[in-house]
Structures are given as C-alpha cells and as structure tokens.
C-alpha cells in the first residue's frame, strides 16, 4: 500500500466510517434499531412473531420471514421515487435470505416475522448496514437466533483494496464486495460481488470485510447491552 494513498473521505484503507448503533428506538415496534455508518442512516422495525395472514399462505412447519428494504424519497442526492424499485425488491430478498439463516423460524409455525428497513439517508453499502441493524432489532424483539448477523463491505478503488465502500467509491471503484456473516458460527450468509477482482485481491478484500464485520459485531453487542442497562435503570426508578 503506497504511503500517499488517500481515500475520498480521508480514511485509511482498512478504516470503517464512523458508526453508531442504537437498539430499542421505536416505541410501537416489537424490536427496533438504528445504524449510522458515515452518512448512512437506517432505521429498522420488527413486528412479530404474529399469526400469519392470509392463513392459507402460512407455513405449517415454520414462520415466514418478511423483509422490506425501502429508501425514503429524500435518502439520496436526487429524489428517489417512493414506488418500490427493482433494486429495493432485490435487496429485500437478499437481506431476507441472509437473516433467514440465523432466525430459528421452526420455533413459530404458521406465524410471520416482519422486518421493515427504512433507509433515511444513503451513502453506499446500505444493504450490509441494513442487515447489521436488522439483526439488532430482531434480538431486541426477542426472536430466537442461532447467532447475530453482521455485514460489511470491501472493494477496490483506484487499484487498492479498501474497507467499507462509500457512495463515491462505489461509483468510481472497480469492485464492491458486500458480505454478511454469523460471527460465532463463522458462517457467511451473504456474499455478492460487483466488478472484478483477481483471486488474491478477492482474498484480501474478503479478509478486510470480515475484520470490519467483527468490529461492527462489537458495536451490535454494545448497543444491546446499553439498552439492557437503560431498561434496568427505568425498572429501578419505577420500583422506588
Ligand atoms: P448498497 O447501498 O448496498 O451499496 P448499491 O450498490 O445499489 O447498494 O447502491 C450504492 C449507493 O448508491 C447507495 O447506498 C446509495 O447511496 C446510492 N443509490 C442507490 N440507489 C439510488 C438512487 N435511486 N438514487 C440515488 N442514489 C442511489
């Protein structure tokens, strides 16, 4: 890595954007979370498990996990149509298939669990940031999971492998590699690639994204611990 290499936002090649996750932010959802990652700002609300309607669509042996990834019209530099785009439909499916591998759906036959993802502000790598926040919201809703799910991206920009691709880098870059993992089970639940990487570059980008995901996993745990502490304080105060 050359010394004079600088990224568009001044980050080091292996540096995440500033991040913050908060759990339990919505009063009326069963579970919720917010992630800020750079200028990305994503809110997730989880409902369920609840009886699935219409009943004839319910699965007898497990719950249905429904995911909706939605970008607010004001989330991008140019107004985005509020109508669900093909990209949003595809990302909803991709996110569901990542989360589905962790959620123990067999525990809730004939029920459904809904995950609503609202991208309030987008700045690249929103699919992986959405997965990271959704996993915290599912945990807050008390949905049993085999492990948390945490996502991160890496890619190639100006010939260098870099972590956590921002919007500018996504546009200018040669490759984008979003991944999501179950950190304790050491299982990859999402792996996509846009662009081209050599075998060696792929290995480097994958290792980098993995390290980024593990850093964000610590933040997921911190957010959930914070919420538990907050609830204990409220409980203590109401018992006084
Ligand atoms: P991801 O957000 O997972 O990286 P993409 O690679 O499709 O998914 O999008 C990269 C970025 O491009 C988004 O995070 C967002 O900042 C921007 N973007 C996506 N869709 C639009 C849109 N319709 N209008 C303007 N910008 C968009």
């Amino acid at each position: 890595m050359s010394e004079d290499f600088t990224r568009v936002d001044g980050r080091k090649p292996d540096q995440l954007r500033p991040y913050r996750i908060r759990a339990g932010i919505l009063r009326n959802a069963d579970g919720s979370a917010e992630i800020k990652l750079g200028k990305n700002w994503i809110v997730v609300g989880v409902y369920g498990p609840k009886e699935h309607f219409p009943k004839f669509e319910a699965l007898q042996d497990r719950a249905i996990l429904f995911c909706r990834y939605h970008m607010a019209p004001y989330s991008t530099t140019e107004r985005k149509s509020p109508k669900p785009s093909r990209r949003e439909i595809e990302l909803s499916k991709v996110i569901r298939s990542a989360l589905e591998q962790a959620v123990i759906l067999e525990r809730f036959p004939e029920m459904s669990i809904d995950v609503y993802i609202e991208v309030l502000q987008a700045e690249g790598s929103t699919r992986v940031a959405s997965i990271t926040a959704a996993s915290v919201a599912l945990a807050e809703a008390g949905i049993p999971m085999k492990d948390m799910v945490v996502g991160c991206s890496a890619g190639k920009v100006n010939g260098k492998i870099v972590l956590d691709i921002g919007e500018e880098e996504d546009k200018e870059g040669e490759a984008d590699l979003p991944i999501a993992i179950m950190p304790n089970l050491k299982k990859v639940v999402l792996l996509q690639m846009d662009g081209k990487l050599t075998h060696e570059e792929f290995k480097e980008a994958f290792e980098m994204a993995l390290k980024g995901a593990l850093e964000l996993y610590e933040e997921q745990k911190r957010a959930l611990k914070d919420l538990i502490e907050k609830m204990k304080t409220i409980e203590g105060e109401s018992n006084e």
Side-chain angles (χ1 to χ4, degrees):
M1 202 73 63
S2 70
E3 290 296 313
D4 57 359
F5 175 72
T6 49
R7 294 173 71 175
V8 66
D9 54 7
R11 273 186 290 155
K12 293 195 195 99
D14 61 350
Q15 193 180 1
L16 290 167
R17 284 169 286 182
Y19 54 81
R20 181 85 181 163
I21 300 173
R22 284 200 306 145
I25 54 150
L26 302 175
R27 172 189 281 262
N28 298 328
D30 293 321
S32 58
E34 168 197 79
I35 185 166
K36 288 184 176 172
L37 176 68
K39 294 192 180 71
N40 283 318
W41 182 9
I42 301 166
V43 168
V44 183
V46 167
Y47 292 90
K50 56 185 178 50
E51 206 177 325
H52 185 80
F53 285 105
K55 274 197 164 202
F56 70 87
E57 276 183 359
L59 301 177
Q60 286 185 346
D61 58 342
R62 63 191 164 98
I64 291 173
L65 184 70
F66 171 81
C67 279
R68 189 189 72 179
Y69 165 100
H70 177 248
M71 276 181 134
Y74 48 80
S75 64
T76 52
T77 39
E78 271 175 46
R79 177 187 174 275
K80 190 212 141 270
S81 161
K83 267 199 317 197
S85 62
R86 282 184 61 177
R87 175 180 170 276
E88 286 170 297
I89 295 165
E90 188 205 319
L91 288 195
S92 299
K93 196 166 172 276
V94 161
I95 292 167
R96 189 194 71 212
S97 76
L99 295 171
E100 225 171 26
Q101 297 178 60
V103 178
I104 308 176
L105 294 167
E106 299 75 24
R107 206 62 78 75
F108 306 103
E110 307 201 356
M111 303 195 105
S112 52
I113 299 163
D114 295 346
V115 179
Y116 291 100
I117 298 161
E118 294 295 326
V119 180
L120 304 181
Q121 206 165 267
E123 197 210 8
S125 300
T126 58
R127 77 193 64 197
V128 282
S130 296
I131 289 171
T132 302
S135 175
V136 175
L138 283 162
E140 206 247 319
I143 310 278
M145 290 191 282
K146 293 175 198 149
D147 197 354
M148 290 295 278
V149 183
V150 59
C152 192
S153 70
K156 185 177 171 188
V157 181
N158 296 326
K160 310 277 183 225
I161 301 299
V162 293
L163 180 65
D164 183 26
I165 303 291
E167 187 177 318
E168 287 293 304
E169 293 179 325
D170 189 31
K171 281 185 198 148
E172 290 165 18
E174 295 96 90
D176 179 14
L177 181 80
I179 69 161
I181 57 161
M182 291 200 272
N184 296 293
L185 295 176
K186 301 195 190 315
K187 199 176 162 208
V188 177
V189 293
L190 171 104
L191 177 66
Q192 294 187 295
M193 193 165 90
D194 192 11
K196 278 188 184 163
L197 294 173
T198 65
H199 190 77
E200 281 311 304
E201 286 169 342
F202 174 84
K203 235 176 119 187
E204 191 185 341
F206 182 81
E207 292 295 330
M208 211 182 245
L210 204 57
K211 260 182 81 185
L214 292 175
E215 189 176 330
L216 289 164
Y217 173 51
E218 294 304 313
E219 176 65 4
Q220 285 181 315
K221 286 191 287 184
R222 191 209 50 74
L224 286 166
K225 274 189 202 144
D226 254 24
L227 181 68
I228 293 166
E229 287 307 316
K230 214 166 106 190
M231 279 158 63
K232 273 191 203 156
T233 315
I234 294 168
E235 211 171 287
E237 282 169 359
S238 67
N239 287 338
E240 274 169 15

